[in-house]
Amino acid sequence: MSSSTSLTLIFFFASAFLYTPSNSFNITTILSQNKDFSIFNKLLSQTGLASTINSRQTITVLALANDAVYLFADQSMEDNKVILSLHVILDYYDIKKLKSLSKKTAILTTLFQQSGQAKGQQGFVNVTVKDNGDIAFGSAVRGSLLDSQLIDSVASEPFNISVLHISSYIPLMNPNPSDKIYTSSSPLPAQAPNDDDYEYDEPPSPPSPPSSSAKAKAPAAAKAAAAAAPKASASKANSTSSASVINSQLDLAFAVVMSSFWLFMTV
């Protein structure tokens, strides 16, 4: 084998290795290995979310077993896509990572948030590790219950894809508590969350009111400024007058020179 042929083969295999996609997982194949998720798997394909999931490099899917997808039979395909996209987290979370959350709670970004259709906190999911070690999921909309429990891990390929089995679907809550949720089922009574579970950007503090000494100094400063104003105006007027006199003298001298030159030329 010639050296040129060897180099060609080396280049070919190196290129094939470099251009192999890192997200080699397939959510349809993963779920098809467990018949308990056959309906959920079918819904992902019907709504087009399966191909979206497969195109990502890092993803977490909160999967529902067949006995927990009763809601989707009574909804349109578009509504199903909205609810299902709320179960796709745009980061990698396996059970170990969830149990090691620093604050025992986190707000996770979903595929629905990325769609641009979410209002307020609709596109985020709240995950919390309870005191007994159980992990619960729910809408991040304030007042929502965390009533979807983590059951087990279906599959994981660190740090590309994690598929977690949860007990029930996460409803799409309306940011306005007086309205009904987006789905056709009725939510459970709202549970107010603890404010310590969330982090907020504090608005800037308003300016402090002026002290009494500052108020006393203000009139004096105003009087001084008023007294200085006429002097400045007079100075400016004098400067303007001097400049006008100089300009007039220059114009006269120029006129005399030009007249003399004209007379010299005509003689």
Side-chain angles (χ1 to χ4, degrees), residues 6 21 66 71 79-80 87-88 165 176-177 202 223 238 240 248:
S6 301
N66 292 340
L71 163 75
D79 289 346
N80 286 342
H87 293 70
V88 181
H165 178 196
N176 185 352
E202 295 293 338
K223 290 181 179 179
N238 292 336
T240 304
S248 298

Side-chain angles (χ1 to χ4, degrees), residues 10 13 32 42 74 77 85 105 108 125 154 163 211-212 221 230 240 249 258:
I10 293 173
F13 286 112
S32 64
K42 183 179 180 180
D74 300 326
M77 195 60 63
S85 63
T105 185
L108 311 180
V125 165
V154 178
V163 182
S211 61
S212 57
T240 304
Q249 292 175 349
M258 291 301 296

Side-chain angles (χ1 to χ4, degrees), residues 22 25 66 90-91 105 117 126 132 149 169 188 203 206 215 222 238 251 266:
S22 58
F25 58 81
N66 292 340
L90 302 183
D91 200 353
T105 185
Q117 302 178 42
N126 185 343
N132 61 0
Q149 307 297 321
Y169 77 95
L188 296 173
K215 292 181 179 178
N238 292 336
D251 292 341
T266 55

Side-chain angles (χ1 to χ4, degrees), residues 17-187:
F17 175 78
L18 291 174
Y19 286 95
T20 298
S22 58
N23 54 329
S24 57
F25 58 81
N26 187 298
I27 186 62
T28 304
T29 302
I30 293 173
L31 293 175
S32 64
Q33 298 176 10
N34 192 325
K35 62 181 181 180
D36 292 337
F37 300 100
S38 59
I39 299 178
F40 183 78
N41 194 11
K42 183 179 180 180
L43 287 169
L44 290 181
S45 297
Q46 290 176 341
T47 56
L49 291 176
S51 59
T52 303
I53 293 171
N54 292 336
S55 67
R56 307 287 301 193
Q57 293 188 0
T58 302
I59 207 81
T60 299
V61 179
L62 305 179
L64 298 167
N66 292 340
D67 58 356
V69 293
Y70 56 87
L71 163 75
F72 300 97
D74 300 326
Q75 293 191 151
S76 67
M77 195 60 63
E78 185 61 29
D79 289 346
N80 286 342
K81 183 176 182 179
V82 169
I83 298 297
L84 289 172
S85 63
L86 195 62
H87 293 70
V88 181
I89 309 299
L90 302 183
D91 200 353
Y92 178 87
Y93 285 94
D94 55 16
I95 295 179
K96 181 180 179 181
K97 184 176 179 180
L98 290 174
K99 285 185 176 292
S100 61
L101 292 174
S102 59
K103 294 185 178 181
K104 301 299 182 183
T105 185
I107 302 298
L108 311 180
T109 306
T110 70
L111 192 61
F112 180 58
Q113 174 66 22
Q114 192 183 57
S115 70
Q117 302 178 42
K119 299 178 181 178
Q121 295 290 97
Q122 279 185 330
F124 298 93
V125 165
N126 185 343
V127 57
T128 297
V129 182
K130 297 183 177 181
D131 293 337
N132 61 0
D134 291 343
I135 299 175
F137 296 88
S139 172
V141 174
R142 183 173 294 277
S144 301
L145 283 175
L146 302 178
D147 55 354
S148 181
Q149 307 297 321
L150 173 65
I151 297 178
D152 56 16
S153 175
V154 178
S156 63
E157 296 179 13
F159 293 91
N160 295 327
I161 184 170
S162 173
V163 182
L164 302 175
H165 178 196
I166 59 175
S167 62
S168 59
Y169 77 95
I170 300 173
L172 183 65
M173 303 297 293
N174 195 308
N176 185 352
S178 64
D179 296 337
K180 295 181 179 179
I181 61 173
Y182 185 87
T183 62
S184 57
S185 63
S186 299

Side-chain angles (χ1 to χ4, degrees), residues 208-247:
S208 303
S211 61
S212 57
S213 59
K215 292 181 179 178
K217 293 179 180 179
K223 290 181 179 179
K231 296 180 179 179
S233 300
S235 175
K236 184 177 180 180
N238 292 336
S239 299
T240 304
S241 177
S242 300
S244 300
V245 170
I246 293 173
N247 289 335

